[in-house]
Amino acid sequence: MTYKHLKPLLLAASVTFALAACGKQEQTPAPAPAPAASAPAAATTASAVAKPTSIFDVSELDSSINACQDFNGFVNAKWIAANPIPNDRTSWGAFNELAEKSLNIQHDIAEAAAKDAAQAKPGSIEQKIGWLYQAGMDQDTINKLGYDPIKPKLDQIAALKTPADIAKFITDRFADGDQQVFQFGSGADFKDAKLQIGFANQNGLGLPTRDYYTDPKQAGLRDAYKAYIAKSLELAGVAEADAKQQADEVLAFETQLAKASLSPTEMRDLDNQYHFITVDAADKITPHFHWQEFFKAQGLTIDKGFSLSQPKFFAEFDKLLATAPISQWQAYLRFHAIDDASPYLSTVFQDNHFDFYGKTLSGQPEQKPLWKRVLGAVNGSMGEALGQLYVAKEFTPDAKEHAQELVTNVREALKNRIAHLDWMSEETKQKAIDKWNKFLPKIGYPDHWRSWDGLDIKQGDYYGDVLAAAKFNYQYDIDHIGKPTDRTEWGMTPQTVNAYYDPSTNTINFPAAILQPPFFYANGDDAINYGGIGAVIGHESSHGFDDQGAQFDGDGNKADWWSAKDKAQFKDRTGKLVAQFNTYAPLKDKPDLHVNGQLTLGENIADLGGLNVAYDALQEALKKNPTEAQEKIDGYTQDQRYFLSWARVWRNNIREKQAELYLNIDPHAPAKLRAIGAPSNMTAFAEAFQCKAGDPMVRDDDKQVKIW
């Protein structure tokens, strides 16, 4: 993966994980029926059974659930009950439906490219995508090869004899785009965002987080992981007894790395993401791993230094270089060579990989069909190139123009809210508005497409092609080091159903694939559009002022632009949001497993800010169209439809194992809680649905959260 030190702040995680398959990226880079209650408020009861006449199907609303008791259930329970999760997925909801549509379009593009590859212009993206997809779909050839494609790497590992050999092997693998033990890539300097520097970060674990190695509750999963390691080794020719012994060694090795790794919550602390250091100083932390030699092998000249972002982790890495037996290092590197390659090897390797990561870890019953898996590899290898073809086929200038208008209106509403905050001083407000003035919205797709000249995709060589793309993309990434930051570059492909904010460039980014129903309707009423894509725009804009974004100025530098009093006020208000989400226990059968309010804080701030900001923008739009403002559609007011649209976006059915995994690793709260979390803090919601004090969707005054 081409790792970005400061991860863009995404709207949602589930689709990102599903489409991008964590681990191999081209670039940078969620619930149970509510109990029945009384009928919803009078304004909504009769209409809930009305025949749908609009873009929002009100027949899907559940009139047996009171909107003021459980808004997510009122909007989404019927849909969830009627839409089971497909066997090849871990969740199913609004994001997934749209992602499936995007995948089908990409499938058509890839199939056409494969069919016409021989006649395509030599070296064109059409030909490269066609050959890559064609090679991945040729399962017969892949099966005949078995694990032959990785035998040279396994032989290299078997020949390692000293710590110096291991260090050189890791260094050389990086130069080929094959990252081992840690991650390295480019990113904006926290202190001078106009310049790109190198970032080295912790990695090297096969389980999701540190706690999976140390928590007694995860002992069963550790046993399953160890069995997966052993089987992976056996498939690559290691004798059964030796494979079991090596699996023990791999787990012990990773446990040592894990103990020195930071948790997902700790990694949200910006001080744990940036530790600028000279090369000589870095060598003192890792005396057995020489950074100057590493950089030379990558073709880099590092002058002032780089970010060795988690020094404790790298000290442990160096300790293991010096003290771990060579045979243990070989077992670790051997397993990860097999594991990394498994999705591109024969069926037995693919199935083994899925059995652990898909079934055991995430609860997914069936593997995705081959075309989806290969399309995932195409996205990981040439995602922006595929996006260029996707945009030409699917995205119109009109769609971009409509989206731009919404972005402008929502951003103006955010500026107005900042200007009228009653808890922030004028001095800090002005600095916040200065940052707002420097926002760069990017819509649909890049203004300038990336060049793929130099990427050699060979016909019929799937694994080799994936490796070639990994090396090409890694080099593309690290070539940024020492150069000016380009704010116009994208960290997400146009065909991705998501959106993001990047603090280091102060940009808000909305890919083409999300600019369609149910988020955006070209002929939709204002309430539906502002409750959908408008709230998304507000969400990403609010990230500029969440607990992380608020630590960066408008130029992308980590800077303290707050007065001490305002900072204390902000911390107090965000603390209430932490407390709110800490109380949620979303898994019915595991009432002791709660949302981590600190881990999800940034996204929850963005949801709350975004929903308030988009609501204000809606009111401004309705002022210009008073007839629409007074009009009911299917019996619902514009304010009601606004919140209905918001909740519909978060409809989601999820498997329990995946839900539990997300609670441990995901900075986003579960979707059903996002449907209710922000609205329960808004007076506008209570007024729209005639909710009263004491209703679950109306938080007590002393607990109600108001930030932006």
Side-chain angles (χ1 to χ4, degrees), residues 151-161 169 326 330 333-334:
K151 283 182 177 177
K153 188 188 296 186
L154 296 178
D155 290 342
Q156 287 180 324
I157 293 169
L160 300 173
K161 298 185 183 304
F169 174 82
I326 299 300
Q330 288 174 315
L333 293 170
R334 182 178 297 118

PDB file of all heavy atoms in Angstrom, residues 151-161 169 326 330 333-334:
ATOM      1  N   LYS A 151       8.047 -18.284  -5.734  1.00  0.00           N
ATOM      2  CA  LYS A 151       9.185 -19.121  -5.358  1.00  0.00           C
ATOM      3  C   LYS A 151      10.509 -18.355  -5.306  1.00  0.00           C
ATOM      4  O   LYS A 151      11.322 -18.575  -4.402  1.00  0.00           O
ATOM      5  CB  LYS A 151       9.289 -20.322  -6.306  1.00  0.00           C
ATOM      6  CG  LYS A 151       8.266 -21.415  -6.007  1.00  0.00           C
ATOM      7  CD  LYS A 151       8.430 -22.612  -6.938  1.00  0.00           C
ATOM      8  CE  LYS A 151       7.438 -23.708  -6.571  1.00  0.00           C
ATOM      9  NZ  LYS A 151       7.522 -24.875  -7.496  1.00  0.00           N
ATOM     10  N   PRO A 152      10.765 -17.441  -6.251  1.00  0.00           N
ATOM     11  CA  PRO A 152      12.018 -16.682  -6.136  1.00  0.00           C
ATOM     12  C   PRO A 152      12.116 -15.894  -4.827  1.00  0.00           C
ATOM     13  O   PRO A 152      13.197 -15.845  -4.212  1.00  0.00           O
ATOM     14  CB  PRO A 152      11.975 -15.747  -7.351  1.00  0.00           C
ATOM     15  CG  PRO A 152      11.124 -16.466  -8.345  1.00  0.00           C
ATOM     16  CD  PRO A 152      10.071 -17.151  -7.531  1.00  0.00           C
ATOM     17  N   LYS A 153      11.017 -15.302  -4.389  1.00  0.00           N
ATOM     18  CA  LYS A 153      11.034 -14.558  -3.134  1.00  0.00           C
ATOM     19  C   LYS A 153      11.226 -15.504  -1.948  1.00  0.00           C
ATOM     20  O   LYS A 153      11.982 -15.205  -1.013  1.00  0.00           O
ATOM     21  CB  LYS A 153       9.746 -13.763  -2.960  1.00  0.00           C
ATOM     22  CG  LYS A 153       9.769 -12.804  -1.769  1.00  0.00           C
ATOM     23  CD  LYS A 153       8.425 -12.170  -1.490  1.00  0.00           C
ATOM     24  CE  LYS A 153       7.947 -11.302  -2.604  1.00  0.00           C
ATOM     25  NZ  LYS A 153       6.694 -10.576  -2.234  1.00  0.00           N
ATOM     26  N   LEU A 154      10.575 -16.653  -1.982  1.00  0.00           N
ATOM     27  CA  LEU A 154      10.734 -17.631  -0.902  1.00  0.00           C
ATOM     28  C   LEU A 154      12.174 -18.139  -0.846  1.00  0.00           C
ATOM     29  O   LEU A 154      12.722 -18.360   0.247  1.00  0.00           O
ATOM     30  CB  LEU A 154       9.762 -18.788  -1.090  1.00  0.00           C
ATOM     31  CG  LEU A 154       8.272 -18.445  -1.012  1.00  0.00           C
ATOM     32  CD1 LEU A 154       7.422 -19.681  -1.262  1.00  0.00           C
ATOM     33  CD2 LEU A 154       7.931 -17.829   0.344  1.00  0.00           C
ATOM     34  N   ASP A 155      12.786 -18.289  -2.009  1.00  0.00           N
ATOM     35  CA  ASP A 155      14.189 -18.705  -2.035  1.00  0.00           C
ATOM     36  C   ASP A 155      15.091 -17.633  -1.426  1.00  0.00           C
ATOM     37  O   ASP A 155      16.059 -17.958  -0.714  1.00  0.00           O
ATOM     38  CB  ASP A 155      14.632 -19.001  -3.471  1.00  0.00           C
ATOM     39  CG  ASP A 155      14.001 -20.265  -4.039  1.00  0.00           C
ATOM     40  OD1 ASP A 155      13.497 -21.087  -3.244  1.00  0.00           O
ATOM     41  OD2 ASP A 155      13.993 -20.422  -5.281  1.00  0.00           O
ATOM     42  N   GLN A 156      14.797 -16.384  -1.706  1.00  0.00           N
ATOM     43  CA  GLN A 156      15.575 -15.296  -1.110  1.00  0.00           C
ATOM     44  C   GLN A 156      15.471 -15.327   0.407  1.00  0.00           C
ATOM     45  O   GLN A 156      16.462 -15.130   1.120  1.00  0.00           O
ATOM     46  CB  GLN A 156      15.074 -13.945  -1.628  1.00  0.00           C
ATOM     47  CG  GLN A 156      15.434 -13.636  -3.059  1.00  0.00           C
ATOM     48  CD  GLN A 156      14.900 -12.264  -3.477  1.00  0.00           C
ATOM     49  OE1 GLN A 156      13.824 -11.837  -3.069  1.00  0.00           O
ATOM     50  NE2 GLN A 156      15.660 -11.573  -4.301  1.00  0.00           N
ATOM     51  N   ILE A 157      14.271 -15.568   0.917  1.00  0.00           N
ATOM     52  CA  ILE A 157      14.057 -15.617   2.366  1.00  0.00           C
ATOM     53  C   ILE A 157      14.815 -16.795   2.971  1.00  0.00           C
ATOM     54  O   ILE A 157      15.443 -16.674   4.034  1.00  0.00           O
ATOM     55  CB  ILE A 157      12.553 -15.699   2.677  1.00  0.00           C
ATOM     56  CG1 ILE A 157      11.864 -14.392   2.261  1.00  0.00           C
ATOM     57  CG2 ILE A 157      12.309 -15.983   4.165  1.00  0.00           C
ATOM     58  CD1 ILE A 157      10.350 -14.451   2.273  1.00  0.00           C
ATOM     59  N   ALA A 158      14.799 -17.928   2.299  1.00  0.00           N
ATOM     60  CA  ALA A 158      15.498 -19.117   2.801  1.00  0.00           C
ATOM     61  C   ALA A 158      17.003 -18.896   2.870  1.00  0.00           C
ATOM     62  O   ALA A 158      17.692 -19.538   3.682  1.00  0.00           O
ATOM     63  CB  ALA A 158      15.181 -20.319   1.910  1.00  0.00           C
ATOM     64  N   ALA A 159      17.530 -17.988   2.043  1.00  0.00           N
ATOM     65  CA  ALA A 159      18.976 -17.753   1.993  1.00  0.00           C
ATOM     66  C   ALA A 159      19.459 -16.727   3.018  1.00  0.00           C
ATOM     67  O   ALA A 159      20.672 -16.498   3.145  1.00  0.00           O
ATOM     68  CB  ALA A 159      19.370 -17.303   0.587  1.00  0.00           C
ATOM     69  N   LEU A 160      18.564 -16.102   3.768  1.00  0.00           N
ATOM     70  CA  LEU A 160      18.962 -15.103   4.752  1.00  0.00           C
ATOM     71  C   LEU A 160      19.741 -15.758   5.890  1.00  0.00           C
ATOM     72  O   LEU A 160      19.329 -16.789   6.418  1.00  0.00           O
ATOM     73  CB  LEU A 160      17.728 -14.378   5.303  1.00  0.00           C
ATOM     74  CG  LEU A 160      16.863 -13.629   4.274  1.00  0.00           C
ATOM     75  CD1 LEU A 160      15.587 -13.101   4.931  1.00  0.00           C
ATOM     76  CD2 LEU A 160      17.637 -12.489   3.642  1.00  0.00           C
ATOM     77  N   LYS A 161      20.850 -15.132   6.280  1.00  0.00           N
ATOM     78  CA  LYS A 161      21.695 -15.743   7.307  1.00  0.00           C
ATOM     79  C   LYS A 161      22.028 -14.810   8.467  1.00  0.00           C
ATOM     80  O   LYS A 161      22.378 -15.272   9.562  1.00  0.00           O
ATOM     81  CB  LYS A 161      23.005 -16.232   6.674  1.00  0.00           C
ATOM     82  CG  LYS A 161      22.827 -17.301   5.604  1.00  0.00           C
ATOM     83  CD  LYS A 161      24.158 -17.822   5.103  1.00  0.00           C
ATOM     84  CE  LYS A 161      23.977 -18.842   3.972  1.00  0.00           C
ATOM     85  NZ  LYS A 161      23.105 -19.967   4.363  1.00  0.00           N
ATOM     86  N   PHE A 169      17.208  -7.307   2.746  1.00  0.00           N
ATOM     87  CA  PHE A 169      16.038  -7.883   2.093  1.00  0.00           C
ATOM     88  C   PHE A 169      14.844  -6.945   2.214  1.00  0.00           C
ATOM     89  O   PHE A 169      14.147  -6.678   1.221  1.00  0.00           O
ATOM     90  CB  PHE A 169      15.709  -9.239   2.726  1.00  0.00           C
ATOM     91  CG  PHE A 169      14.431  -9.855   2.214  1.00  0.00           C
ATOM     92  CD1 PHE A 169      14.408 -10.566   1.021  1.00  0.00           C
ATOM     93  CD2 PHE A 169      13.245  -9.721   2.924  1.00  0.00           C
ATOM     94  CE1 PHE A 169      13.229 -11.131   0.537  1.00  0.00           C
ATOM     95  CE2 PHE A 169      12.062 -10.278   2.457  1.00  0.00           C
ATOM     96  CZ  PHE A 169      12.055 -10.981   1.260  1.00  0.00           C
ATOM     97  N   ILE A 326      17.203 -15.936  13.365  1.00  0.00           N
ATOM     98  CA  ILE A 326      17.043 -15.792  11.917  1.00  0.00           C
ATOM     99  C   ILE A 326      15.890 -16.655  11.427  1.00  0.00           C
ATOM    100  O   ILE A 326      15.099 -16.246  10.557  1.00  0.00           O
ATOM    101  CB  ILE A 326      18.340 -16.180  11.179  1.00  0.00           C
ATOM    102  CG1 ILE A 326      19.490 -15.250  11.615  1.00  0.00           C
ATOM    103  CG2 ILE A 326      18.138 -16.078   9.660  1.00  0.00           C
ATOM    104  CD1 ILE A 326      19.259 -13.787  11.334  1.00  0.00           C
ATOM    105  N   GLN A 330      12.705 -15.560   9.233  1.00  0.00           N
ATOM    106  CA  GLN A 330      12.370 -16.235   7.985  1.00  0.00           C
ATOM    107  C   GLN A 330      10.922 -16.709   7.981  1.00  0.00           C
ATOM    108  O   GLN A 330      10.221 -16.578   6.975  1.00  0.00           O
ATOM    109  CB  GLN A 330      13.319 -17.421   7.772  1.00  0.00           C
ATOM    110  CG  GLN A 330      14.739 -17.004   7.410  1.00  0.00           C
ATOM    111  CD  GLN A 330      15.680 -18.187   7.362  1.00  0.00           C
ATOM    112  OE1 GLN A 330      15.671 -19.048   8.247  1.00  0.00           O
ATOM    113  NE2 GLN A 330      16.512 -18.249   6.327  1.00  0.00           N
ATOM    114  N   LEU A 333       8.717 -13.528   7.501  1.00  0.00           N
ATOM    115  CA  LEU A 333       8.783 -12.994   6.140  1.00  0.00           C
ATOM    116  C   LEU A 333       8.198 -13.979   5.126  1.00  0.00           C
ATOM    117  O   LEU A 333       7.546 -13.575   4.158  1.00  0.00           O
ATOM    118  CB  LEU A 333      10.232 -12.663   5.781  1.00  0.00           C
ATOM    119  CG  LEU A 333      10.859 -11.513   6.578  1.00  0.00           C
ATOM    120  CD1 LEU A 333      12.364 -11.439   6.310  1.00  0.00           C
ATOM    121  CD2 LEU A 333      10.186 -10.182   6.251  1.00  0.00           C
ATOM    122  N   ARG A 334       8.412 -15.265   5.367  1.00  0.00           N
ATOM    123  CA  ARG A 334       7.875 -16.298   4.472  1.00  0.00           C
ATOM    124  C   ARG A 334       6.345 -16.265   4.479  1.00  0.00           C
ATOM    125  O   ARG A 334       5.701 -16.274   3.418  1.00  0.00           O
ATOM    126  CB  ARG A 334       8.387 -17.668   4.914  1.00  0.00           C
ATOM    127  CG  ARG A 334       7.934 -18.829   4.031  1.00  0.00           C
ATOM    128  CD  ARG A 334       8.532 -20.144   4.537  1.00  0.00           C
ATOM    129  NE  ARG A 334       9.987 -20.143   4.451  1.00  0.00           N
ATOM    130  CZ  ARG A 334      10.796 -20.251   5.501  1.00  0.00           C
ATOM    131  NH1 ARG A 334      10.301 -20.350   6.738  1.00  0.00           N
ATOM    132  NH2 ARG A 334      12.097 -20.249   5.328  1.00  0.00           N
TER     133      ARG A 334
END
